[in-house]
Amino acid sequence: MEDKMRLSKYYVKTLKETPKEAEVISHKLLLRSGMIKRLASGVYTYLPLGLKALKKVENIVREEMDRAGAQEIFMPVLQPAELWKESGRWDVMGAEMMRIQDRHSREFALGPTHEEVITDIIRNDISSYKSLPLNLYQIQTKFRDERRPRFGLMRGREFMMKDAYSFHASKESLDEEFENMKAAYTRVFERCGLKFRAVEADSGAIGGSGSQEFHVLAESGEDEIIYCTSCDYAANVETATSTIVELPKAETLDIKLVDTPNVSKIVDVVEYLNVPVEQTVKAMMYKDVVTDDVYMVLIRGDFEVNEVKLKNIIDTIDVVLLTDSEIEDLGLIKGFIGPVGADLTKIKVIADKSIVGISNHTAGGNKLDTHYINVNYGRDYEAEVVADVRTVVVGEKCPKCGGELASARGIESGHIFKLGDKYSKALNASFLDENGKSQIMEMGCYGIGVSRTMASAIEQNNDENGIIWPSAIAPFVVEVIPANMKSEEQVALAEEIYKNFQDSCIDVALDDRDERIGFKFKDGDLIGYPFKVVAGKKAAEGIVELKIRRTNETLEVSKDEVVSKVKELMKQY
Amino acid sequence: MEDKMRLSKYYVKTLKETPKEAEVISHKLLLRSGMIKRLASGVYTYLPLGLKALKKVENIVREEMDRAGAQEIFMPVLQPAELWKESGRWDVMGAEMMRIQDRHSREFALGPTHEEVITDIIRNDISSYKSLPLNLYQIQTKFRDERRPRFGLMRGREFMMKDAYSFHASKESLDEEFENMKAAYTRVFERCGLKFRAVEADSGAIGGSGSQEFHVLAESGEDEIIYCTSCDYAANVETATSTIVELPKAETLDIKLVDTPNVSKIVDVVEYLNVPVEQTVKAMMYKDVVTDDVYMVLIRGDFEVNEVKLKNIIDTIDVVLLTDSEIEDLGLIKGFIGPVGADLTKIKVIADKSIVGISNHTAGGNKLDTHYINVNYGRDYEAEVVADVRTVVVGEKCPKCGGELASARGIESGHIFKLGDKYSKALNASFLDENGKSQIMEMGCYGIGVSRTMASAIEQNNDENGIIWPSAIAPFVVEVIPANMKSEEQVALAEEIYKNFQDSCIDVALDDRDERIGFKFKDGDLIGYPFKVVAGKKAAEGIVELKIRRTNETLEVSKDEVVSKVKELMKQY
């Protein structure tokens, strides 16, 4: 081993102040601990400590992908526009995809993902079912021109990603590989020492028939996860299935238009008309951004429309709420819109499945300052689509077991997809089956944000003093510190222990800097070494202090036992 | 170990035909063996076998850089234009540097090299001599928009590079690190199993005060290397120092203009005037592309002007020969230009040092169909600069020991530079010295073309059947082949040996494909496994054939000795 893990020679430049640009804790701590350095918005250099942590995550990912039977390749960053045009995504990707022209004015994308490239390789190389299934992966720098790059490594414009692509002769084979990858991902996040959840997810713009996200749990997470407190059901709130809320049936009464002056919000309707909120229905007006088709979405007054579900029902890329003037142009009156008595010639009505069973609900009167009461689905109006279009709320029933749903915040760090034939069809990746018949391949794709996983580990594991790395991904597992650099005895003992850790292949740093012990402790807490070993006053007796970063405990351990003690504790922390 | 090193499951797609695009042997063999795949001009995917070889080179480089005390970091691809403008290279880099605009129209370069970025990091992080010296390196994808990308991995537009940058408080410290890197590079190429030479080199556009190239020797190399057959002197022909050629001194005769009708070429002058070529001097007319200054370069008739030396003498970026009309505009007559009797008001004269000592040489007469004879430097004309401006030729004397110079072809695979203060001054990377005085840092930079080294290994090691990998960088060191897939005995023995190699951590592939032995041999030769182990007819006796790719030898070895035998042979091949 080289001598360069002595901090006196190592590149460690911690900062006292948190740079102002940093909003979230991982960003703050990565900058303060000197692990990364900003070069441009969303673009960072990994300094030696940061790169060590990144490589640890990368190696765990690589080992588990290899174990799962995937084969590593390395595809280019520069991707010819022609391939993206062939798949139809050149225009769809919009401003998020960085584009460049070479000296001959040929257009290229800087790879944000590699479905097109890998499918092009496979369609040229593979022609028989005998070569399938196949799973190829790479660990590579990806580019995405985020509108608002922020949160450091959480949402950068240049980031490290593991992306894998599988090819199959049948849907069953794809299903098998999907489960194989789910297991591999579970091992990756377990081995990284992270608390995480695998959740059902929306397939988004990438397309396909099924997908699952892996979320590292952290209060600062951008995503809300719904999970069952009784069974293993878990889903992104974007896609979590709502259950039908059963209401007591009542005798249907005659529909009636009533005056509701200045009463347009649900909360006011409830109070003014003295009805329970469970018996109100609101109408939300949406537009399909692709076709401009207009939708009236009907939902119970106390529920929220889930726009991801709505997009999937309509089968479009995005939806937006109508503006006031667009509402007016349709002859509707904002605050008093309802399904009864409106001109619906240019409007499609979508009803959330929860409203179908409500007896005698309210609805907008489609005239200024009026509402209908005693409205009933089926008798007074009908929708073109009845579907689950609402956002699940905490406390409602689990769609799988009927248990109670709870919510948590998560950071999406992995995502696996069944792509089906979306790309293989567009690019004509076909093979000859057992009968010599040409068939289109089935595809899956599987991503892990390597740099994002590193950042989310910090979001999950930190305190007011700094990072608390899980041992498996810590840049150094142990920091050995002589309490007093002037004590020959302490320095010699520290050197001895440093060497013992090296011999045991445990990543160790020796803090031989000419600094006070207080400074070293503070610096070590910030950097987040899981364990510190201090050669101090009892050095003469061969006794050192072992400090556990996560628990703040200090143990007295004999110098000969400290390596095995750390080995034991590494399983836990 | 996983089971995926069975070739029946491994991604191996060799080609029978050589793709037409390939000109050089490494390109042909990389494509035919299915190690790389073209995505666009100069842009390649590494398939599993190719990536394994690349990673082996990468790991050797990483280990030797670590051993030499350098620390690994990872810098971004996207580099803000502002930094390149600060160093003055934004315009200088020209069309070779790929440029991109983000969604806010901010300009970035796709990093072709990282002097600016690293210097920016260091100027912000390092302020004291105590933190110096420092050597930081990365292994990363680089971009260069070559005018004519070709030769596969030899001259790509997207390629893998190791680049290191060192920072120092003194020139002496930089000199030390330069020697340290020279030693590290020597170990890298030795460990890769390559025949190479470290040669003196021109510093080129990157600037600086000293540089050395590492050339992998191969007949197909683009560079000519001059080396001494007696001592360790070696230099790129671009920069190799010429020695003064001593000629017998003669009494100077009177200068005389003589008619030489239609005699303009040196070969004709020699014949027509019946003088030895050593007594002729030719005048070459050059222009500095930056300043447009014109130079008359005088050199012995049988020598060639070295344009790299000329550039360095003039201190410019490039020089070009004058066109016929530019020569005419200066009042000169092509074929009859000389230093005597010409109007030199707009022309600077540079004389190669070899002509100064020639007695009674010829020169152009500056009138149509005339030459001077008996011209003598100093008496009849003088030059503003006398310098070494000629290209060394094979057979001349070594400038170091007087021995004989020879020449070889090489592929530049590594280059180390003393940059001095070129970038640290432009970007103001300063530090406080022992006396608290601010000083500009000294810098060095050190590159290895990782993908190019892989390709040059093939240029050096191949035959008509395919690649002959040195063991250290072979994707697999051993291929185990059951001669007959239908023989249970042979298959079982092959499996046993396959497992034994795995247990000994030797990279091994089992060729369990349902193919004939002839096909497997051919495929194996193409891919270039250094060793094949065949379980054949003597399987029952526990004897296998060990085939050495480089020598074509076949040894009979007992199954229990084959691993140790291969271990022994690996040191040699």
Side-chain angles (χ1 to χ4, degrees):
Chain A
M1 288 289 279
E2 325 79 69
D3 228 14
K4 63 173 184 160
M5 303 316 172
R6 294 169 185 273
L7 297 189
S8 60
K9 293 182 183 174
Y10 202 74
Y11 197 100
V12 191
K13 301 286 160 193
T14 54
L15 307 176
K16 276 183 194 152
E17 312 274 312
T18 303
K20 281 179 198 131
E21 76 212 61
E23 295 170 70
V24 299
I25 192 71
S26 65
H27 193 192
K28 287 178 188 171
L29 291 176
L30 281 164
L31 288 172
R32 277 197 57 209
S33 62
M35 297 202 189
I36 63 169
K37 204 159 184 86
R38 181 182 182 279
L39 175 60
S41 171
V43 180
Y44 294 87
T45 292
Y46 294 82
L47 291 170
L49 278 174
L51 184 61
K52 272 182 89 75
L54 184 77
K55 291 258 173 192
K56 294 224 172 159
V57 177
E58 203 178 297
N59 283 338
I60 289 172
V61 171
R62 179 174 287 116
E63 283 175 16
E64 293 304 333
M65 290 304 290
D66 285 345
R67 187 200 307 268
Q71 296 180 50
E72 190 172 1
I73 62 170
F74 194 68
M75 290 183 274
V77 167
L78 295 171
Q79 305 187 359
E82 292 72 29
L83 274 181
W84 287 83
K85 286 174 182 163
E86 209 180 329
S87 76
R89 290 208 292 182
W90 182 253
D91 295 323
V92 176
M93 295 298 284
E96 269 205 4
M97 189 156 81
M98 303 194 88
R99 293 151 210 253
I100 197 168
Q101 292 197 343
D102 72 5
R103 65 197 299 158
H104 307 295
S105 303
R106 284 196 207 100
E107 285 185 302
F108 290 84
L110 296 194
T113 179
H114 279 71
E115 282 82 8
E116 281 79 0
V117 175
I118 190 80
T119 308
D120 179 54
I121 291 171
I122 295 298
R123 71 176 166 183
N124 286 309
D125 267 9
I126 305 292
S127 54
S128 161
Y129 73 97
K130 288 182 195 161
S131 302
L132 299 174
L134 197 60
N135 189 338
L136 300 170
Y137 78 97
Q138 63 173 351
I139 298 176
Q140 195 214 28
T141 300
K142 292 278 191 291
F143 298 84
R144 204 170 292 165
D145 201 356
E146 294 280 353
R147 191 191 302 272
R148 272 189 71 193
R150 52 188 184 151
F151 306 155
L153 300 187
M154 299 279 277
R155 190 173 286 284
R157 297 200 288 175
E158 183 175 339
F159 52 96
M160 193 57 71
M161 182 105 182
K162 187 284 298 176
D163 46 327
Y165 307 88
S166 70
F167 296 84
H168 306 271
S170 70
K171 282 196 166 55
E172 293 68 36
S173 170
L174 169 60
D175 289 347
E176 264 174 44
E177 187 61 15
F178 189 80
E179 292 304 318
N180 182 32
M181 283 293 109
K182 212 156 104 179
Y185 275 43
T186 300
R187 287 193 302 269
V188 165
F189 290 105
E190 274 172 5
R191 282 186 59 190
C192 286
L194 298 174
K195 291 189 274 293
F196 69 98
R197 261 184 196 278
V199 308
E200 284 177 17
D202 178 54
S203 296
I206 208 157
S209 64
S211 88
Q212 193 139 20
E213 290 167 352
F214 287 77
H215 284 263
V216 172
L217 301 179
E219 275 165 39
S220 58
E222 281 190 286
D223 284 291
E224 187 180 349
I225 294 162
I226 297 293
Y227 64 94
C228 175
T229 53
S230 305
C231 77
D232 67 352
Y233 179 77
N236 194 311
V237 71
E238 288 180 345
T239 192
T241 309
S242 67
T243 43
I244 295 173
V245 185
E246 297 289 348
L247 287 175
K249 288 276 173 200
E251 198 180 332
T252 56
L253 305 174
D254 286 348
I255 186 167
K256 201 169 145 192
L257 190 66
V258 297
D259 283 338
T260 51
N262 281 321
V263 174
S264 63
K265 291 186 185 150
I266 286 292
V267 55
D268 299 331
V269 170
V270 166
E271 194 186 324
Y272 189 85
L273 295 177
N274 194 24
V275 289
V277 73
E278 293 82 3
Q279 266 172 277
T280 63
V281 165
K282 62 185 170 189
M284 308 291 291
M285 301 302 298
Y286 278 98
K287 188 171 75 173
D288 178 334
V289 294
V290 178
T291 61
D292 279 345
D293 288 348
V294 173
Y295 294 86
M296 178 187 287
V297 182
L298 300 171
I299 192 162
R300 221 173 75 180
D302 54 345
F303 287 146
E304 295 303 326
V305 172
N306 181 319
E307 293 184 359
V308 173
K309 290 183 180 177
L310 180 58
K311 276 191 288 189
N312 290 339
I313 292 165
I314 299 175
D315 191 18
T316 185
I317 290 167
D318 208 2
V319 292
V320 287
L321 283 167
L322 291 193
T323 62
D324 288 2
S325 71
E326 284 172 328
I327 288 175
E328 240 173 70
D329 291 348
L330 287 163
L332 298 173
I333 298 147
K334 198 185 168 192
F336 302 95
I337 305 172
V340 181
D343 175 6
L344 298 173
T345 47
K346 292 181 182 163
I347 302 173
K348 291 174 185 162
V349 178
I350 295 177
D352 182 63
K353 60 184 182 172
S354 63
I355 68 166
V356 174
I358 310 176
S359 302
N360 305 316
H361 66 72
T362 70
N366 291 314
K367 286 176 193 157
L368 187 66
D369 292 342
T370 66
H371 274 83
Y372 283 106
I373 57 170
N374 303 334
V375 189
N376 286 275
Y377 184 87
R379 184 191 71 179
D380 303 319
Y381 69 101
E382 278 192 345
E384 274 156 287
V385 180
V386 176
D388 173 9
V389 69
R390 76 174 170 89
T391 300
V392 166
V393 291
V394 167
E396 76 177 67
K397 278 184 183 166
C398 170
K400 199 166 156 187
C401 78
E404 197 179 311
L405 292 182
S407 116
R409 306 297 303 182
I411 300 161
E412 186 198 332
S413 303
H415 203 159
I416 60 179
F417 294 91
K418 291 182 195 172
L419 292 175
D421 62 5
K422 179 173 163 137
Y423 297 95
S424 44
K425 207 166 173 180
L427 293 163
N428 194 29
S430 61
F431 66 99
L432 296 179
D433 68 13
E434 288 93 330
N435 306 315
K437 210 184 125 199
S438 179
Q439 302 240 33
I440 294 292
M441 296 179 196
E442 291 285 319
M443 277 178 71
C445 81
Y446 318 92
I448 290 183
V450 177
S451 41
R452 182 178 256 218
T453 298
M454 171 180 164
S456 59
I458 298 175
E459 291 289 333
Q460 188 180 83
N461 300 282
N462 66 79
D463 64 13
E464 65 281 11
N465 297 320
I467 302 169
I468 307 173
W469 286 110
S471 295
I473 57 174
F476 292 104
V477 177
V478 186
E479 183 190 25
V480 177
I481 311 174
N484 182 350
M485 284 301 289
K486 286 181 187 117
S487 156
E488 276 179 37
E489 198 161 47
Q490 292 177 19
V491 170
L493 181 58
E495 292 272 356
E496 182 187 336
I497 289 168
Y498 169 60
K499 196 174 170 308
N500 289 345
F501 275 109
Q502 285 189 328
D503 291 346
S504 303
C505 293
I506 292 174
D507 270 322
V508 60
L510 176 69
D511 198 344
D512 61 341
R513 293 176 297 176
D514 197 13
E515 299 280 0
R516 283 172 308 100
I517 183 79
F519 170 87
K520 290 182 181 180
F521 280 171
K522 234 177 152 176
D523 220 40
D525 282 350
L526 176 58
I527 289 167
Y529 307 98
F531 307 102
K532 296 189 202 76
V533 174
V534 186
K537 289 196 176 126
K538 293 193 178 171
E541 301 159 53
I543 289 173
V544 294
E545 284 184 349
L546 171 56
K547 290 168 111 56
I548 304 171
R549 174 75 181 86
R550 188 174 295 275
T551 62
N552 251 327
E553 278 172 280
T554 302
L555 315 174
E556 287 202 343
V557 186
S558 124
K559 72 184 176 78
D560 298 325
E561 281 163 16
V562 69
V563 172
S564 58
K565 186 72 194 167
V566 164
K567 270 192 188 162
E568 186 194 317
L569 290 169
M570 278 172 71
K571 290 176 201 152
Q572 199 176 341
Y573 301 110
Chain B
M1 288 291 278
E2 323 78 70
D3 230 14
K4 62 172 182 158
M5 302 317 172
R6 292 169 185 275
L7 297 188
S8 60
K9 293 182 182 175
Y10 202 75
Y11 197 101
V12 192
K13 302 285 160 192
T14 53
L15 307 177
K16 274 183 196 152
E17 310 275 313
T18 302
K20 281 180 199 133
E21 78 211 61
E23 296 170 70
V24 297
I25 193 69
S26 66
H27 193 192
K28 287 178 188 171
L29 292 176
L30 281 165
L31 288 171
R32 277 196 57 207
S33 62
M35 297 203 188
I36 63 170
K37 204 158 185 87
R38 181 182 184 279
L39 176 59
S41 171
V43 179
Y44 294 88
T45 292
Y46 294 83
L47 292 169
L49 278 175
L51 184 61
K52 272 182 89 73
L54 185 76
K55 291 259 174 192
K56 294 224 173 159
V57 177
E58 202 177 298
N59 283 338
I60 289 173
V61 171
R62 179 174 287 116
E63 283 175 16
E64 293 304 332
M65 290 305 289
D66 285 346
R67 188 200 305 269
Q71 297 179 49
E72 189 172 2
I73 62 173
F74 194 67
M75 291 183 273
V77 167
L78 295 170
Q79 305 187 0
E82 292 71 32
L83 274 182
W84 287 83
K85 287 175 181 163
E86 210 180 328
S87 76
R89 289 209 290 182
W90 182 253
D91 295 323
V92 176
M93 295 298 284
E96 270 205 5
M97 188 157 81
M98 302 196 87
R99 294 151 210 253
I100 197 169
Q101 292 198 343
D102 72 5
R103 67 198 300 158
H104 306 296
S105 302
R106 284 193 207 102
E107 285 184 303
F108 289 85
L110 296 195
T113 180
H114 278 72
E115 283 81 8
E116 282 78 2
V117 174
I118 191 78
T119 308
D120 179 54
I121 291 170
I122 295 298
R123 71 175 167 184
N124 286 310
D125 267 9
I126 304 292
S127 55
S128 160
Y129 72 97
K130 288 182 195 160
S131 301
L132 300 174
L134 198 60
N135 188 339
L136 300 170
Y137 77 98
Q138 62 174 352
I139 298 176
Q140 196 215 27
T141 300
K142 293 276 191 287
F143 298 84
R144 203 172 292 166
D145 201 356
E146 294 279 353
R147 191 190 304 270
R148 272 189 71 194
R150 52 188 185 151
F151 305 156
L153 300 188
M154 299 279 278
R155 191 173 287 284
R157 297 202 287 176
E158 183 174 338
F159 53 96
M160 192 57 72
M161 181 106 182
K162 187 283 298 174
D163 46 328
Y165 307 89
S166 71
F167 295 85
H168 306 271
S170 70
K171 282 195 167 58
E172 292 69 36
S173 171
L174 168 59
D175 289 347
E176 265 174 43
E177 188 62 16
F178 189 80
E179 293 304 318
N180 182 31
M181 283 294 107
K182 211 156 105 180
Y185 274 42
T186 300
R187 287 194 300 269
V188 165
F189 290 105
E190 274 173 6
R191 282 187 58 191
C192 286
L194 299 174
K195 290 188 274 295
F196 69 98
R197 261 185 197 277
V199 307
E200 285 176 18
D202 180 53
S203 296
I206 208 158
S209 63
S211 88
Q212 194 139 20
E213 290 168 352
F214 287 78
H215 283 263
V216 172
L217 301 178
E219 274 165 41
S220 58
E222 279 191 287
D223 284 291
E224 186 181 352
I225 294 162
I226 296 295
Y227 64 94
C228 177
T229 52
S230 306
C231 76
D232 66 352
Y233 179 77
N236 195 309
V237 71
E238 289 181 344
T239 191
T241 308
S242 66
T243 43
I244 295 174
V245 184
E246 298 289 348
L247 287 176
K249 286 279 172 200
E251 199 181 329
T252 56
L253 305 174
D254 285 349
I255 185 167
K256 200 169 147 194
L257 190 66
V258 297
D259 283 339
T260 50
N262 281 322
V263 175
S264 63
K265 289 187 187 151
I266 286 294
V267 56
D268 299 331
V269 169
V270 166
E271 195 187 325
Y272 189 84
L273 295 178
N274 193 24
V275 290
V277 73
E278 293 83 2
Q279 266 172 276
T280 61
V281 165
K282 63 185 170 190
M284 308 290 291
M285 300 303 299
Y286 278 97
K287 188 171 75 173
D288 178 334
V289 296
V290 178
T291 62
D292 279 344
D293 288 348
V294 172
Y295 294 86
M296 178 188 287
V297 182
L298 301 171
I299 191 162
R300 223 173 75 182
D302 55 344
F303 287 147
E304 294 304 323
V305 173
N306 182 317
E307 293 184 359
V308 173
K309 289 183 181 177
L310 180 59
K311 276 192 287 189
N312 290 338
I313 292 166
I314 299 175
D315 191 17
T316 185
I317 291 168
D318 208 2
V319 291
V320 287
L321 283 167
L322 292 194
T323 62
D324 289 0
S325 70
E326 284 171 329
I327 288 175
E328 242 173 70
D329 290 348
L330 287 163
L332 298 174
I333 299 147
K334 199 184 167 194
F336 303 94
I337 306 172
V340 181
D343 174 5
L344 298 173
T345 47
K346 290 182 182 162
I347 303 172
K348 291 174 186 162
V349 179
I350 296 178
D352 181 62
K353 59 184 183 173
S354 62
I355 68 166
V356 174
I358 312 177
S359 303
N360 306 318
H361 66 72
T362 69
N366 291 313
K367 286 177 194 154
L368 188 67
D369 292 343
T370 66
H371 273 83
Y372 283 106
I373 56 169
N374 305 332
V375 188
N376 287 275
Y377 184 86
R379 185 190 73 178
D380 303 319
Y381 68 100
E382 278 193 343
E384 275 156 288
V385 180
V386 176
D388 174 9
V389 69
R390 77 173 171 88
T391 299
V392 167
V393 291
V394 167
E396 76 176 68
K397 279 185 183 165
C398 169
K400 202 167 154 185
C401 78
E404 197 178 312
L405 292 182
S407 115
R409 307 296 304 180
I411 301 160
E412 185 198 334
S413 301
H415 203 159
I416 60 179
F417 295 92
K418 291 181 193 172
L419 293 175
D421 61 5
K422 180 174 162 134
Y423 298 94
S424 43
K425 208 167 172 178
L427 293 162
N428 195 27
S430 61
F431 66 100
L432 296 179
D433 67 14
E434 287 94 330
N435 307 314
K437 210 184 125 198
S438 179
Q439 303 239 32
I440 294 292
M441 295 179 198
E442 291 285 318
M443 276 177 73
C445 82
Y446 318 93
I448 291 182
V450 177
S451 40
R452 182 179 256 219
T453 298
M454 170 179 164
S456 59
I458 298 175
E459 291 290 334
Q460 188 179 83
N461 301 282
N462 66 80
D463 64 13
E464 65 281 10
N465 297 320
I467 303 169
I468 307 172
W469 286 111
S471 295
I473 57 174
F476 292 104
V477 176
V478 185
E479 184 188 24
V480 177
I481 311 175
N484 182 350
M485 284 301 290
K486 287 183 184 115
S487 157
E488 274 180 37
E489 199 161 45
Q490 292 177 18
V491 170
L493 181 58
E495 291 274 355
E496 183 187 337
I497 289 167
Y498 170 59
K499 196 174 170 310
N500 288 344
F501 276 110
Q502 286 190 328
D503 291 346
S504 303
C505 292
I506 292 174
D507 271 322
V508 61
L510 176 70
D511 199 342
D512 61 341
R513 293 176 296 177
D514 197 11
E515 300 281 359
R516 283 172 309 101
I517 183 79
F519 171 88
K520 290 183 183 182
F521 280 171
K522 235 177 154 178
D523 220 41
D525 282 349
L526 176 58
I527 288 167
Y529 307 98
F531 307 101
K532 296 189 202 72
V533 173
V534 186
K537 288 195 175 127
K538 295 194 177 170
E541 301 159 53
I543 289 173
V544 294
E545 283 184 352
L546 172 57
K547 290 169 112 52
I548 305 171
R549 175 74 179 87
R550 188 174 295 274
T551 62
N552 252 327
E553 279 173 280
T554 301
L555 315 174
E556 287 203 342
V557 187
S558 124
K559 73 181 175 80
D560 297 325
E561 281 163 17
V562 69
V563 172
S564 58
K565 187 71 192 167
V566 164
K567 269 192 188 163
E568 186 193 316
L569 290 168
M570 279 172 71
K571 289 176 200 150
Q572 199 175 342
Y573 301 111

